[in-house]
Amino acid sequence: TDPVSLPRLGCGSMGGMLALPPGQGPHQVGCTDVMVGHTRQGLFLRLFYPCLPRAGAAEPLWIPRPEYCGGLADAALGRRWCSALLSIAIGSCKVPVSWNGPFKPRSSGYPLIIFSHGLGAFRTLYSSICTELASRGFVVAALEHRDHSAATTYFCTAEAGAEEWIPFQRVPQGQKEFYFRNKQVHRRAQECVRALRLFQAIAGGRSSPNVLHQDWDLSVLKDSLDLTKVAVMGHSFGGVTAVLALVKEPSFRCAVALDAWMFPLEHVLYPEVPEPVLFINTERFQTPESVAKMKRLSSRNGQTRIVTVLGTVHEDQTDFAFLPGKLFSRIFGRRGTLDPHKALAITTRAALAFLQRHLKLEEEFGRWDELLEGVGDSVVPDAPFCRSRL
């Protein structure tokens, strides 16, 4: 199989403003939201999983609530007044998955991926890559972090119907960015560990009530997870979160870091990263300092890999890549030259080959092993130094 051939395209019922591709794997994909606990020390995540076919299945909104448009306008654009315009442009877009679809059991157990979002993002903005991974036979838990790095988020207090919102926070004036972000990345990595503990508890038969939905019971996962095969993955701030999670939790067998923002991680931790990392970079985001940190990790672990996807920008590893060109350019500026479907195919196939190797999966993802060495159209090993910081 050509490792970078275009996958089949599809728009679901999403209209013209955003068309996320459906999963290309053999499994249909279901999706549900999970909130555990009534304080900010609980967890909030969107779960993507292989599901059984269901006629007339509803599709979830890509932007789950109007409040997230306000958070995006503030975090990404610095203009909260754009919230209404964003809501009109993208508020009705949907994700081509089955909302609360019936879980497809598997006695051998699905491998698990904990996914960490980038700065100013939230749990739904990586639906394209999470859907693709679930269609290939993974359960993917896309966290929404509560360290003030999400565009916005909330938790439900014990009082009936009451919500407490956690806004995006910029670095306070007079505070050094490294210390502020370093504290956040440790909190985020700990949330990844807590998410793993949740699934371990479910597998152990302990009840974990979902605050949000009574009609999708987490206990259906009990005998269908293989928790010896767990990886952590993330984009940008989430990429470095995934690297740190390897230090904090030995059950994570490997990490996939998409265009990782290495700045917040303290130097003393680099020798402590015990498991392999796949760094998949875009062409224009990384700095020489950041790449040097990745190479330092690869020099300590011969299984760590660094590849760059040419013709891509930082946002190409998010769902925003599938926005129409003019809207993308108005929000983010210059977009990549590589077709976003092709970029998604390269990224997920490289990740799948890496996950097969280090989670010891009995799949056919090894046919994309060459991507791990930077072999193939649009892929190069290591990373060119950036020409501009997006």
Side-chain angles (χ1 to χ4, degrees):
T1 305
D2 173 7
V4 291
S5 60
L6 284 175
R8 67 184 188 272
L9 309 184
C11 297
S13 60
M14 301 181 35
M17 194 50 78
L18 177 86
L20 298 182
Q24 307 297 312
H27 301 279
Q28 293 201 28
V29 178
C31 175
T32 193
D33 280 338
V34 176
M35 187 182 289
V36 175
H38 289 284
T39 70
R40 67 175 65 205
Q41 280 69 50
L43 287 167
F44 193 15
L45 57 90
R46 177 158 284 193
L47 198 66
F48 297 82
Y49 53 88
C51 82
L52 298 168
R54 184 173 64 174
E59 296 179 341
L61 286 171
W62 181 54
I63 305 295
R65 293 176 51 158
E67 290 90 345
Y68 288 92
C69 284
L72 266 183
D74 184 29
L77 305 176
R79 302 185 181 99
R80 185 163 276 277
W81 58 267
C82 289
S83 173
L85 296 177
L86 274 180
S87 188
I88 292 167
I90 59 177
S92 61
C93 296
K94 293 186 177 180
V95 183
V97 296
S98 175
W99 181 241
N100 286 336
F103 181 73
K104 182 179 181 179
R106 184 159 86 174
S107 57
S108 59
Y110 296 109
L112 174 68
I113 298 172
I114 307 295
F115 193 98
S116 172
H117 65 71
L119 187 64
F122 43 91
R123 70 189 186 281
T124 69
L125 297 187
Y126 300 87
S127 293
S128 51
I129 196 163
C130 292
T131 297
E132 178 61 17
L133 291 167
S135 80
R136 301 282 179 178
F138 291 82
V139 171
V140 185
L143 286 173
E144 192 162 285
H145 290 292
R146 291 170 165 175
D147 61 330
H148 294 280
S149 67
T152 191
T153 186
Y154 70 100
F155 62 93
C156 298
T157 66
E159 186 182 334
E163 296 171 354
E164 188 166 322
W165 285 81
I166 303 169
F168 178 75
Q169 186 178 349
R170 290 181 170 77
V171 180
Q173 198 168 2
Q175 200 170 129
K176 286 191 184 297
E177 184 176 19
F178 172 80
Y179 295 110
F180 184 74
R181 299 300 185 201
N182 177 256
K183 187 175 180 182
Q184 285 184 312
V185 78
H186 278 272
R187 287 186 61 184
R188 292 166 130 258
Q190 205 55 55
E191 274 185 301
C192 293
V193 175
R194 289 211 310 274
L196 175 57
R197 295 285 180 268
L198 169 66
F199 292 103
Q200 288 170 335
I202 292 167
R206 277 172 281 171
S207 173
S208 300
N210 185 357
V211 172
L212 299 177
H213 297 298
Q214 305 310 315
D215 54 348
W216 202 93
D217 190 345
L218 288 168
S219 67
V220 299
L221 300 171
K222 179 179 180 296
D223 298 315
S224 291
L225 292 175
D226 184 347
L227 295 181
T228 68
K229 297 182 166 101
V230 185
V232 59
M233 185 172 185
H235 174 248
S236 194
F237 204 7
V240 75
T241 301
V243 173
L244 180 57
L246 290 183
V247 178
K248 292 187 181 288
E249 177 50 55
S251 294
F252 289 126
R253 306 308 307 157
C254 60
V256 178
L258 306 177
D259 227 7
W261 183 42
M262 300 298 287
F263 168 77
L265 197 59
E266 59 265 45
H267 289 285
V268 294
L269 283 176
Y270 286 96
E272 306 299 325
V273 179
E275 303 292 349
V277 181
L278 172 61
F279 292 100
I280 306 178
N281 294 331
T282 64
E283 192 174 357
R284 294 184 169 270
F285 178 73
Q286 296 297 335
T287 64
E289 294 79 15
S290 185
V291 172
K293 290 176 179 180
M294 294 175 189
K295 288 185 173 179
R296 191 172 165 196
L297 282 183
S298 67
S299 71
R300 293 177 179 278
N301 189 317
Q303 295 299 310
T304 286
R305 293 287 182 270
I306 309 167
V307 296
T308 297
V309 184
L310 301 179
T312 59
V313 298
H314 195 53
E315 289 76 21
D316 282 333
Q317 293 178 334
T318 75
D319 294 340
F320 290 117
F322 298 98
L323 289 172
K326 284 187 177 178
L327 183 58
F328 181 100
S329 300
R330 286 189 178 179
I331 298 174
F332 300 112
R334 194 165 166 184
R335 74 179 305 159
T337 55
L338 187 65
D339 180 275
H341 297 88
K342 196 169 186 179
L344 176 65
I346 291 169
T347 299
T348 52
R349 290 170 184 186
L352 288 166
F354 183 79
L355 292 167
Q356 170 158 318
R357 186 179 292 184
H358 298 294
L359 298 184
K360 297 179 170 52
L361 306 178
E362 295 179 9
E363 302 286 352
E364 296 181 2
F365 307 144
R367 65 188 185 275
W368 298 313
D369 272 346
E370 283 191 335
L371 291 174
L372 302 183
E373 312 304 329
V375 177
D377 179 27
S378 303
V379 192
V380 296
D382 293 343
F385 293 155
C386 72
R387 288 182 283 280
S388 64
R389 181 74 184 267
L390 296 178

